[in-house]
Amino acid sequence: MSATLEATAPGRFGEYGGAYVPETVVPALNELEHEIPVAMADPLFLEELRGWLTDSAGRPTPMTYAGRLTQRVGGAQIWLKREDLLHTGAHKINNAIGQVLLARRMGKTRIVAETGAGQHGVATATACAALGLRCVVYMGAEDMRRQALNVYKMRLMGAEVREVTTGSQTLTDATAAAIRDWVANVRDTHFVIGSAIGPHPYPVLVRDLQRVIGDEARADGLERWKQLPDVVVACVGGGSNAIGMFTAFIGDADVRLVGAEAAGEGLVCGRNAASLSIGTPGTLHGTLTYLLQDGHGQILPTHSVSAGLDYPGVGPEHAFLKDSRRVEYLAISDGDCLDALKQLCQLEGILPALESSHAVAAAMTQAAGRRPDEIVLVCLSGRGDKDIDTIRARVPELG
Ligand SMILES: *Cc1c(COP(=O)(O)O)cnc(C)c1O
């Protein structure tokens, strides 16, 4: 199915995707594009990847029936795919391990990564420590200040965290710095991107490393329920956990796919990160996709209570899936996200990440009004321990 979705050209999803990069980056992308299919067809590589995912990261992840939440909502059954139970607390480790293994196979000894909130940086530093590669993480000075704990965690894992002081001193500038380092050191260095974004072949590579989420859930579900889920929901920042979840179900026409992006404080300019709901096509970080930009192509400021969804673009495959209407994208506000988070804590004893809480909120809406024999499957992309300070500030009645 994914082959037909990409049928337009390699690395294209309809008109979206591609590789809008300076000449200097092309050889590195070509090397990667050549190596990926070779590695993915090598049973020894796949066995090694599977070994790390099971013995180190904690795969397969369980699926939990949220019985009390289901009862509260009063509709379809809500089931959670528990990526929050993975090592380092989110789905990002699936991609980090896969890419670091790929880098080692390509003879690289050094990894560079970009990070915003620090979750991808921590996952990459962890994979590098376990596999014995040097790790340099670029992070905006502003983000380093806001996410000091993750900076410390990366350093504990042996990574070097380099402060980026250009531009807005956040994720966009850190990404540019990581790419510059990669291009200058491509002989021994691989760039581990953190979501299904960036120039070809990254969106395909990250999707194929994350599709284990949906593959597991689909097989597990068929065994338990003897049917497919009616609705599958995931949150969308760059879109890696969502595309990892959706890919297994894209060919199942009866399964409704729902992506939840961040409406922040509302769908007005500058107060959200809802690039699929109110964005327009343009190029950012090497790919053509929906962006939050002004009439001159200047990227607009974004906001979300959840740092991991606070990105002005989205992976190009999601842009295509929106236009083709195979996936429906909803925007969930900060308030609805926090409400869903509280409900999952108090009814299920599970503290979800703020990102994942957007998916829980969308799932509650989807489940309401459906029959009790229908099934809504949610990707619980990560746990909320990292967000506890933000939550405490936003839910003061419990403090
Ligand atoms: C980073 C992150 C996200 C957003 O990234 P995607 O690439 O859209 O999946 C979602 N959930 C958690 C827990 C994260 O850490």
Side-chain angles (χ1 to χ4, degrees):
M1 190 66 200
S2 59
T4 48
L5 286 179
E6 286 159 33
T8 7
R12 288 282 176 184
F13 308 95
E15 67 183 286
Y16 301 105
Y20 298 84
V21 293
E23 204 72 38
T24 48
V25 184
V26 173
L29 290 174
N30 284 345
E31 184 189 8
L32 192 57
E33 186 181 15
H34 170 80
E35 189 63 26
I36 292 166
V38 181
M40 291 298 192
D42 178 354
L44 284 177
F45 179 77
L46 294 176
E47 192 50 44
E48 191 179 24
L49 174 58
R50 218 173 48 127
W52 279 97
L53 290 178
T54 51
D55 302 348
S56 253
R59 303 215 73 87
T61 56
M63 214 151 54
T64 303
Y65 175 47
R68 285 179 18 94
L69 183 66
T70 295
Q71 212 171 28
R72 172 68 59 88
V73 172
Q77 299 169 34
I78 300 173
W79 289 74
L80 311 170
K81 177 63 173 165
R82 302 292 304 277
E83 296 298 291
D84 62 312
L85 295 178
L86 286 174
H87 184 39
T88 68
H91 68 291
K92 288 203 171 69
I93 195 76
N94 302 325
N95 172 52
I97 287 178
Q99 286 204 45
V100 174
L101 279 172
L102 183 67
R104 200 174 67 172
R105 177 193 165 91
M106 292 167 75
K108 313 285 183 184
T109 54
R110 183 173 175 272
I111 295 294
V112 292
E114 87 295 354
T115 199
Q119 294 306 111
H120 170 58
V122 169
T124 304
T126 301
C128 286
L131 286 154
L133 278 80
R134 283 176 59 206
C135 181
V136 175
V137 179
Y138 287 88
M139 193 168 184
E142 176 64 20
D143 287 333
M144 283 181 72
R145 190 185 56 71
R146 286 188 293 199
Q147 307 289 339
L149 202 61
N150 275 339
V151 175
Y152 187 72
K153 270 193 205 168
M154 287 183 258
R155 289 179 172 154
L156 262 183
M157 297 288 170
E160 181 191 338
V161 183
R162 289 193 187 161
E163 184 177 36
V164 178
T165 53
T166 50
S168 62
Q169 315 198 350
T170 59
L171 179 62
T172 308
D173 315 290
T175 305
I179 292 174
R180 269 197 304 276
D181 180 317
W182 180 40
V183 170
N185 299 291
V186 69
R187 275 190 47 200
D188 70 348
T189 299
H190 171 69
F191 171 39
V192 177
I193 205 164
S195 188
I197 57 171
H200 179 67
Y202 279 107
V204 179
L205 172 62
V206 176
R207 176 197 67 202
D208 289 349
L209 291 171
Q210 291 291 3
R211 66 168 294 165
V212 64
I213 305 172
D215 287 344
E216 274 178 18
R218 191 176 188 282
D220 202 0
L222 280 173
E223 204 176 296
R224 281 164 186 269
W225 313 319
K226 316 290 177 214
Q227 67 170 78
L228 288 170
D230 297 278
V231 188
V232 176
V233 187
C235 68
V236 181
S240 68
N241 87 89
I243 205 69
M245 187 68 159
F246 294 162
T247 298
F249 300 99
I250 277 177
D252 303 312
D254 292 339
V255 178
R256 181 170 182 178
L257 303 176
V258 177
E261 52 177 7
E265 293 168 355
L267 292 183
V268 292
C269 179
R271 299 316 306 158
N272 62 78
S275 41
L276 287 162
S277 298
I278 60 167
T280 50
T283 56
L284 178 67
H285 296 147
T287 193
L288 175 61
T289 187
Y290 278 96
L291 303 176
L292 294 169
Q293 57 186 338
D294 68 15
H296 306 287
Q298 293 296 312
I299 296 301
L300 294 167
T302 53
H303 161 82
S304 168
V305 68
S306 104
L309 302 188
D310 197 351
Y311 178 68
V314 65
E317 192 165 4
H318 289 288
F320 174 75
L321 290 169
K322 174 198 156 75
D323 283 9
S324 65
R325 301 196 186 172
R326 179 63 190 91
V327 180
E328 185 184 344
Y329 295 90
L330 310 175
I332 302 293
S333 70
D334 288 352
D336 287 349
C337 153
L338 286 161
D339 179 60
L341 181 142
K342 263 195 292 184
Q343 303 245 31
L344 205 66
C345 286
Q346 293 175 5
L347 295 170
E348 302 294 341
I350 296 170
L351 170 57
L354 285 166
E355 293 84 1
S356 322
S357 302
H358 286 73
V360 175
M364 288 163 63
T365 315
Q366 293 294 315
R370 285 181 179 266
R371 295 191 316 268
D373 63 333
E374 291 188 277
I375 290 162
V376 176
L377 172 64
V378 194
C379 184
L380 205 72
S381 55
R383 61 174 141 91
D385 304 56
K386 69 183 176 62
D387 297 319
I388 208 78
D389 287 339
T390 309
I391 299 164
R392 193 162 50 179
R394 295 294 297 260
V395 190
E397 72 268 20
L398 299 179

